[in-house]
Each structure stands twice: as structure tokens, then as C-alpha cells.
Amino acid sequence: MGIRRILTFPEPSLRGTARPVENITGETAKTVEDMALTMYAAPGIGLAAPQIGLDQRIIVLDVAPDDEEQGKEKGKHLIHVVNPIIVEADGEITFEEGCLSVVDFRAEVDRAARVLVRGWDVDQREIEIEADGLLAVALQHEIDHLEGTLFIDRLSKLKREMYVKRVKKALREGRPIAQRRAASETN
Ligand code: NI
């Protein structure tokens, strides 16, 4: 199918709990491929299946999409995880986040500084990813999407309401929410 449309807040299907993938098949590999294409095209550093309307626990990430060593070959740092779970989390980090599903808004979010994530790859191998810094932040952000949680839910009510009001006003006036500015660190 290729590049998919990314759903944006307040689309209700971003709010559900995604279902675990029970059988990893060629279809799963195709989904991962489409998610990666969609993420790179956006451009973003992460994408979760519910963001393209799929009720499945799959995430893709590439926190260095423009790495010079990568040359013209996209995807050198591509990570995908099927049915990811956070098995360890410690420390604290505050990072300015954005989201392909939360148009034209960024804010600082507190997360664990280091995580250990377990899951599966499309070759049915069990995988483990230990991460800190931006990758740890992005993994937590994407796994949140599988629970229907957006980064705006992790802000103070005041900050969140500022954004929600802006979106509601735009919808009420029948105009599109301001176009997302190009930002490389958006997931
Ligand atoms: Ni996101």
C-alpha cells in the first residue's frame, strides 16, 4: 500500500488500546514497511500502528533518520517492535516532544531516562532494546500510543487545554489546524 494517511487529534481511534499481534506473518512485515515509509515521508522519528488506523501493537522508530553515514539509504537505524513492553524503566529525563498526530504543537514531557523494552521482530525473533536519551523517550512515546495515550495527556491540564482549545476553535471555524512545521524530532 505504501505511505498511509496519519490520523490526527481529536480522531477517536487514536484513543483505543491496541490489540496484541497474535501471529507474526508476511502481512505484519508489510505493515512495518508501510509504517516506516509513512514515518520517513512525514518526516518523523517514530510511528505507532494506531496512528495509521491499525488496531495492532506495532511501533517503528528511527531517531537518526538523517545520519550522514546513512547516505541515501534510508532505514539504516530503523527499529521496529511488535508487541513491545517496557520491562525496566529508571531515572528521569525532560524532553521537548512533538507528535505526527498532534499537529503544530510541542511541549516538554517528563519520562524515564532509561528503558528496557522487549518484543518481537517480523522474523518472529524475540528482541530486547536497551535505550537512553532520545531513543528512550521515543520508545515510551510510541508505546503510549498503543494505550491510546498522547503526549499532551502527560502535560499539566493548563497546557493541554491551551492546545485542545486551539484545535476545537479551528474545527468549529471549519479551517484546518495550522500546518505542522517541519520538525525532525516528531513522533
Ligand atoms: Ni506520536
Side-chain angles (χ1 to χ4, degrees), residues 46 51 98-101 141-142 145 150 187:
Q51 291 182 274
C99 177
L100 296 173
S101 295
H141 177 117
E142 299 316 328
H145 274 297
L150 301 174
N187 39 48

Side-chain angles (χ1 to χ4, degrees), residues 31-154:
T31 297
V32 165
E33 206 176 293
D34 283 2
M35 285 174 65
L37 282 172
T38 306
M39 173 184 74
Y40 285 124
I45 60 164
L47 191 75
Q51 291 182 274
I52 55 165
L54 298 176
D55 181 13
Q56 298 181 42
R57 301 185 79 84
I58 304 175
I59 60 173
V60 297
L61 306 105
D62 186 341
V63 296
D66 301 316
D67 185 347
E68 281 177 17
E69 284 174 34
Q70 199 162 228
K72 285 180 185 148
E73 190 196 336
K74 283 268 183 205
K76 190 179 161 203
H77 303 288
L78 178 65
I79 292 170
H80 74 273
V81 193
V82 178
N83 298 341
I85 48 165
I86 296 171
V87 291
E88 281 174 29
D90 43 64
E92 202 180 300
I93 188 172
T94 305
F95 210 91
E96 189 187 75
E97 297 187 24
C99 177
L100 296 173
S101 295
V102 179
V103 178
D104 198 27
F105 185 67
R106 301 180 69 81
E108 288 194 337
V109 181
D110 299 325
R111 305 255 186 201
R114 177 197 152 267
V115 291
L116 181 65
V117 171
R118 281 200 192 119
W120 300 81
D121 70 9
V122 292
D123 298 316
Q124 302 185 21
R125 284 181 300 221
E126 207 166 1
I127 52 170
E128 202 171 80
I129 300 166
E130 192 178 2
D132 56 17
L134 179 58
L135 183 57
V137 168
L139 281 163
Q140 292 168 83
H141 177 117
E142 299 316 328
I143 292 169
D144 263 1
H145 274 297
L146 305 179
E147 298 301 324
T149 299
L150 301 174
F151 81 93
I152 52 174
D153 302 327
R154 297 192 175 276

Side-chain angles (χ1 to χ4, degrees), residues 22-35:
E22 285 176 18
N23 294 299
I24 296 172
T25 63
E27 204 52 43
T28 318
K30 189 76 192 72
T31 297
V32 165
E33 206 176 293
D34 283 2
M35 285 174 65

